[in-house]
Amino acid sequence: MMTNSLQTLKVKLLRRALCAGKQTAEMLGCRRQQCCHLHQRQSGVAHPLPSQTGSRTSLVRACIEAKRMHCHFKRPVGTAHHLKMHSRLHGDREARIHLHLARMTSSQQSSQPALNPLFKLQPFLTQPILKDAELIFTPSEADIARATALFVSSASHRIEFVRGAYYPEEAPNYNLPEIAFIGRSNVGKSSLIKALFSEIEGLKVRTSKTPGHTKLLLFFQVGRAFSLVDMPGYGYRQPANFITSAEGFLKSRKNLRNTFLLVDSFVGLKQWDYVAIEMLEEFAIPYLVVLTKSDKATRRQLIENIMTVSRVIRENTQGCLPQPFLVSAKSGEGLPFLKGFIAYTTGNL
Ligand SMILES: Nc1nc2c(ncn2[C@@H]2O[C@H](COP(=O)(O)OP(=O)(O)OP(=O)(O)O)[C@@H](O)[C@H]2O)c(=O)[nH]1
Ligand SMILES: [Mg+2]
């Protein structure tokens, strides 16, 4: 019995170390091949993700590297531990990841279903919707309240649209942590940003039923805290300059803290999304999956699509946060939790 629980603990610790290693691998990956994934799209052939060959070696190397890079554990607020990793990416790009390791008290655990809509599905599953080690972000209600306050404009904290850019070189030069929203056309990127900023009077974010509506990189500034970038959609009716614009932007932004890859929870992952995952993996930038339109999907669709996304993240990615997010711009479900993560990943929590 005792041996069994020791064994389980050992496996959990190893898994956490690998997760930390994964993130470090992503920071240190720095593969500089020319990205041509989005050019391959016309072929119509399903694009396989990078095979797992060699990934174990790179994880082991990353674990060793993580030690070398002075990764340190810090006593946190509350009961969870923060792992702070500072590493240099591509020589001059400082990347920072805060991993909030999941070690919740029972009171935190019981508040999570209310905060994180993924947990509403747990009663319908016999297995955990997310494994312990995949539960990275477990904020308290106070954290969410602080994050929510950031999305309210005031004289000293102005939230505004800055500009649209056709080319990445036209992007604003403010020195703010940035989050980019990428995904298929019509997946709900602009609607999500609009919903996040619903409290801001006079801030217009245009959405449309017609795919391919957003043509420019759109920059929104949230005080001196962070900025959000609405990207044109890929796939059907994507803008002619999408490849140069999106790839150039993702590769060149020095303060890009995280990229949110939006996937429709009603439709699930499509071929184009696999191409985007492949591209993000190759660029070795931190990203995560946000499942949109939760109000539209049936429970069965939600479970199936979330499970598929989780499996793809687990088996085929190195740079993706293991914890997907679930939101609805229409009903507002999951928005406070996502605001919490935005505040957290931009260093505002
Ligand atoms: N039911 C439901 N519909 C949504 C939701 N979010 C977006 N939509 C709808 O989906 C359509 C596309 O939304 P947009 O936000 O314009 O999508 P986009 O990803 O910005 O699209 P492009 O700019 O073309 O790349 C619109 O008709 C929205 O009303 C949601 O959470 N629930
Ligand atoms: Mg749009």
Side-chain angles (χ1 to χ4, degrees), residues 155-170:
S156 58
H157 179 75
R158 286 171 63 87
I159 300 179
E160 55 197 357
F161 171 65
V162 181
R163 84 168 66 129
Y166 190 72
Y167 295 109
E169 303 79 56
E170 296 164 3

Side-chain angles (χ1 to χ4, degrees), residues 254-294:
K254 293 197 169 31
N255 291 327
L256 189 61
R257 285 291 159 82
N258 229 312
T259 299
F260 291 3
L261 173 63
L262 272 57
V263 173
D264 192 327
S265 68
F266 174 71
V267 185
L269 283 167
K270 304 302 276 183
Q271 185 194 327
W272 278 88
D273 299 318
Y274 288 99
V275 179
I277 291 175
E278 203 177 335
M279 176 186 75
L280 292 163
E281 285 290 312
E282 187 169 307
F283 289 176
I285 54 177
Y287 68 101
L288 57 86
V289 174
V290 178
L291 290 135
T292 59
K293 308 191 188 181
S294 68

Side-chain angles (χ1 to χ4, degrees), residues 52-69:
Q52 290 301 289
T53 324
S55 68
R56 205 187 306 166
T57 326
S58 60
L59 283 181
V60 171
R61 209 175 43 216
C63 285
I64 297 165
E65 204 60 33
K67 264 191 177 172
R68 202 175 63 75
M69 302 283 290

